[in-house]
Amino acid sequence: MALSSRLGPFLRAQFCSSGSIGFRMSSWSPSLLNNMNSRHLGANDPMPSINPEVYTVFNMRFCPYAQRTVLFLLAKQIPFENINIDLKNKPGWFLAINPLGKVPTLVKGSTVIYESLICDDFLEEEHPETKRLLGDSPVERAMDKLLVERSKFFYGPLHGLLKVQTQEDLEKVKSQVQGGLQILGNELRSRGTSFFGGFSPGMVDYSIWPWFERFNGFAQLSNMDLKDSTLKEWMNRMFEDEAVRYYRIEDKDHAEFWRGFAQGQQNYDIMFEKENPTKL
Ligand SMILES: N[C@@H](CCC(=O)N[C@@H](CS)C(=O)NCC(=O)O)C(=O)O
């Protein structure tokens, strides 16, 4: 990779987002305007008021796809509000906004967008004044999107771990997960940068991160570890990223959610209940 393209994300992060030329201290602060751990609203809840002047993300706190878009908004420091939705008991007003009933759904005024990667593309194009997270050239952007596509070879089987019935199936799925990890590890080694996005996290990093945040929880379920040292180091760097830290859920809470999910009894409100023990 040419030095200029390796430096691209670094230069963008340092200069473009501050709007001035020169090095700057980190001025990151959360752009989320309300509480990310609010109760998940269901069919019996009235529609909350929605501010048409800022983005609203319809979310589910444990959804890895919605996490992609939240991380994008946080990394770009675009102000937004968050509304958590009970996906097992969706409110009619949510289905009226997005008949597919999926999160993330990103709304501003009369604009309604869904599919995490499409939301992220939209935010990048709509907000050129913010930190750029996609590659500089069409080729870089296409290669990054291909890589996110190929990351399904990692996170697809990871979800499969929840369903395996036999030891034989478990070993098969574990080796599929390791195969997917190898694709990502090899790519990061060949890029030779700290992050897939260069010197700071970019689109690929934020798009694959949600499954790495959950990796330890899944790994404990199946006695598996991350063998790839390049990816381990990348994970440690990602854990230091401000957006990632702000939105992070601890391993034990992820594990509790996925245990429930595997039994068809997922509790979306684990984080709400932790924050509001007296309201239970
Ligand atoms: N391909 C979609 C997947 C989104 C998705 O499946 N979200 C789940 C929650 S993690 C959802 O909304 N499930 C509700 C449903 O399918 O009815 C994306 O990238 O946004």
Side-chain angles (χ1 to χ4, degrees), residues 113-128:
I113 299 176
Y114 45 91
E115 282 296 323
S116 52
L117 298 175
I118 295 177
C119 293
D120 296 353
D121 251 8
F122 168 80
L123 290 168
E124 179 87 351
E125 283 189 46
E126 186 73 0
H127 294 281

mmCIF file of all heavy atoms in Angstrom, residues 113-128:
data_model
loop_
_atom_site.group_PDB
_atom_site.id
_atom_site.type_symbol
_atom_site.label_atom_id
_atom_site.label_comp_id
_atom_site.label_asym_id
_atom_site.label_seq_id
_atom_site.Cartn_x
_atom_site.Cartn_y
_atom_site.Cartn_z
ATOM 1 N N ILE A 113 -33.664 5.389 6.777
ATOM 2 C CA ILE A 113 -32.661 4.515 6.146
ATOM 3 C C ILE A 113 -32.416 3.328 7.068
ATOM 4 O O ILE A 113 -32.426 3.478 8.291
ATOM 5 C CB ILE A 113 -31.343 5.293 5.903
ATOM 6 C CG1 ILE A 113 -31.626 6.462 4.960
ATOM 7 C CG2 ILE A 113 -30.274 4.404 5.290
ATOM 8 C CD1 ILE A 113 -30.455 7.346 4.727
ATOM 9 N N TYR A 114 -32.218 2.166 6.481
ATOM 10 C CA TYR A 114 -31.876 1.003 7.298
ATOM 11 C C TYR A 114 -30.831 0.185 6.557
ATOM 12 O O TYR A 114 -30.373 0.595 5.492
ATOM 13 C CB TYR A 114 -33.120 0.176 7.650
ATOM 14 C CG TYR A 114 -34.060 -0.055 6.494
ATOM 15 C CD1 TYR A 114 -33.923 -1.174 5.677
ATOM 16 C CD2 TYR A 114 -35.054 0.852 6.198
ATOM 17 C CE1 TYR A 114 -34.768 -1.382 4.612
ATOM 18 C CE2 TYR A 114 -35.907 0.661 5.121
ATOM 19 C CZ TYR A 114 -35.754 -0.457 4.333
ATOM 20 O OH TYR A 114 -36.580 -0.651 3.257
ATOM 21 N N GLU A 115 -30.440 -0.939 7.126
ATOM 22 C CA GLU A 115 -29.284 -1.740 6.716
ATOM 23 C C GLU A 115 -28.031 -0.994 7.177
ATOM 24 O O GLU A 115 -27.674 0.073 6.647
ATOM 25 C CB GLU A 115 -29.212 -1.991 5.202
ATOM 26 C CG GLU A 115 -30.162 -3.061 4.720
ATOM 27 C CD GLU A 115 -29.848 -4.440 5.287
ATOM 28 O OE1 GLU A 115 -28.674 -4.791 5.445
ATOM 29 O OE2 GLU A 115 -30.808 -5.155 5.593
ATOM 30 N N SER A 116 -27.352 -1.584 8.158
ATOM 31 C CA SER A 116 -26.245 -0.887 8.820
ATOM 32 C C SER A 116 -25.227 -0.298 7.841
ATOM 33 O O SER A 116 -24.818 0.861 7.980
ATOM 34 C CB SER A 116 -25.548 -1.840 9.791
ATOM 35 O OG SER A 116 -25.182 -3.042 9.149
ATOM 36 N N LEU A 117 -24.835 -1.074 6.830
ATOM 37 C CA LEU A 117 -23.754 -0.584 5.962
ATOM 38 C C LEU A 117 -24.251 0.546 5.061
ATOM 39 O O LEU A 117 -23.487 1.458 4.710
ATOM 40 C CB LEU A 117 -23.168 -1.734 5.132
ATOM 41 C CG LEU A 117 -22.522 -2.847 5.974
ATOM 42 C CD1 LEU A 117 -22.082 -4.005 5.090
ATOM 43 C CD2 LEU A 117 -21.329 -2.320 6.784
ATOM 44 N N ILE A 118 -25.536 0.500 4.730
ATOM 45 C CA ILE A 118 -26.108 1.584 3.920
ATOM 46 C C ILE A 118 -26.233 2.846 4.784
ATOM 47 O O ILE A 118 -25.937 3.959 4.328
ATOM 48 C CB ILE A 118 -27.457 1.143 3.311
ATOM 49 C CG1 ILE A 118 -27.197 -0.007 2.333
ATOM 50 C CG2 ILE A 118 -28.171 2.309 2.621
ATOM 51 C CD1 ILE A 118 -28.426 -0.610 1.695
ATOM 52 N N CYS A 119 -26.634 2.669 6.034
ATOM 53 C CA CYS A 119 -26.679 3.818 6.965
ATOM 54 C C CYS A 119 -25.287 4.462 7.057
ATOM 55 O O CYS A 119 -25.158 5.692 7.014
ATOM 56 C CB CYS A 119 -27.096 3.373 8.370
ATOM 57 S SG CYS A 119 -28.789 2.777 8.492
ATOM 58 N N ASP A 120 -24.268 3.623 7.159
ATOM 59 C CA ASP A 120 -22.913 4.159 7.358
ATOM 60 C C ASP A 120 -22.409 4.876 6.102
ATOM 61 O O ASP A 120 -21.804 5.952 6.187
ATOM 62 C CB ASP A 120 -21.960 3.028 7.770
ATOM 63 C CG ASP A 120 -22.363 2.448 9.127
ATOM 64 O OD1 ASP A 120 -23.274 3.017 9.768
ATOM 65 O OD2 ASP A 120 -21.779 1.434 9.543
ATOM 66 N N ASP A 121 -22.690 4.296 4.951
ATOM 67 C CA ASP A 121 -22.335 4.950 3.680
ATOM 68 C C ASP A 121 -23.012 6.318 3.578
ATOM 69 O O ASP A 121 -22.402 7.310 3.191
ATOM 70 C CB ASP A 121 -22.873 4.109 2.513
ATOM 71 C CG ASP A 121 -21.765 3.420 1.768
ATOM 72 O OD1 ASP A 121 -20.620 3.463 2.223
ATOM 73 O OD2 ASP A 121 -22.076 2.830 0.706
ATOM 74 N N PHE A 122 -24.297 6.317 3.943
ATOM 75 C CA PHE A 122 -25.079 7.556 3.883
ATOM 76 C C PHE A 122 -24.457 8.619 4.800
ATOM 77 O O PHE A 122 -24.278 9.779 4.403
ATOM 78 C CB PHE A 122 -26.532 7.258 4.299
ATOM 79 C CG PHE A 122 -27.345 8.493 4.558
ATOM 80 C CD1 PHE A 122 -27.900 9.209 3.513
ATOM 81 C CD2 PHE A 122 -27.540 8.954 5.856
ATOM 82 C CE1 PHE A 122 -28.643 10.368 3.754
ATOM 83 C CE2 PHE A 122 -28.276 10.107 6.109
ATOM 84 C CZ PHE A 122 -28.826 10.808 5.055
ATOM 85 N N LEU A 123 -24.127 8.232 6.012
ATOM 86 C CA LEU A 123 -23.568 9.207 6.963
ATOM 87 C C LEU A 123 -22.248 9.766 6.451
ATOM 88 O O LEU A 123 -21.954 10.961 6.597
ATOM 89 C CB LEU A 123 -23.365 8.551 8.336
ATOM 90 C CG LEU A 123 -24.653 8.218 9.093
ATOM 91 C CD1 LEU A 123 -24.373 7.323 10.292
ATOM 92 C CD2 LEU A 123 -25.378 9.504 9.529
ATOM 93 N N GLU A 124 -21.454 8.900 5.826
ATOM 94 C CA GLU A 124 -20.162 9.357 5.291
ATOM 95 C C GLU A 124 -20.372 10.390 4.187
ATOM 96 O O GLU A 124 -19.705 11.415 4.135
ATOM 97 C CB GLU A 124 -19.392 8.142 4.765
ATOM 98 C CG GLU A 124 -18.041 8.473 4.166
ATOM 99 C CD GLU A 124 -16.906 8.510 5.195
ATOM 100 O OE1 GLU A 124 -17.165 8.447 6.408
ATOM 101 O OE2 GLU A 124 -15.751 8.627 4.748
ATOM 102 N N GLU A 125 -21.348 10.098 3.302
ATOM 103 C CA GLU A 125 -21.571 11.017 2.171
ATOM 104 C C GLU A 125 -22.258 12.296 2.611
ATOM 105 O O GLU A 125 -21.971 13.377 2.118
ATOM 106 C CB GLU A 125 -22.443 10.337 1.118
ATOM 107 C CG GLU A 125 -21.684 9.334 0.286
ATOM 108 C CD GLU A 125 -22.516 8.856 -0.886
ATOM 109 O OE1 GLU A 125 -23.133 9.705 -1.561
ATOM 110 O OE2 GLU A 125 -22.562 7.641 -1.109
ATOM 111 N N GLU A 126 -23.173 12.148 3.551
ATOM 112 C CA GLU A 126 -23.981 13.293 3.978
ATOM 113 C C GLU A 126 -23.180 14.250 4.867
ATOM 114 O O GLU A 126 -23.518 15.419 4.985
ATOM 115 C CB GLU A 126 -25.219 12.754 4.732
ATOM 116 C CG GLU A 126 -26.254 13.774 5.136
ATOM 117 C CD GLU A 126 -27.078 14.318 3.975
ATOM 118 O OE1 GLU A 126 -26.852 13.911 2.825
ATOM 119 O OE2 GLU A 126 -27.951 15.162 4.245
ATOM 120 N N HIS A 127 -22.120 13.739 5.487
ATOM 121 C CA HIS A 127 -21.373 14.574 6.446
ATOM 122 C C HIS A 127 -19.883 14.624 6.122
ATOM 123 O O HIS A 127 -19.043 14.148 6.904
ATOM 124 C CB HIS A 127 -21.603 14.059 7.878
ATOM 125 C CG HIS A 127 -23.019 14.240 8.294
ATOM 126 N ND1 HIS A 127 -23.524 15.450 8.713
ATOM 127 C CD2 HIS A 127 -24.062 13.383 8.271
ATOM 128 C CE1 HIS A 127 -24.809 15.331 8.955
ATOM 129 N NE2 HIS A 127 -25.168 14.091 8.686
ATOM 130 N N PRO A 128 -19.555 15.252 4.982
ATOM 131 C CA PRO A 128 -18.140 15.321 4.608
ATOM 132 C C PRO A 128 -17.313 16.165 5.581
ATOM 133 O O PRO A 128 -16.083 16.093 5.584
ATOM 134 C CB PRO A 128 -18.177 15.986 3.210
ATOM 135 C CG PRO A 128 -19.500 16.652 3.125
ATOM 136 C CD PRO A 128 -20.436 15.890 4.014
#
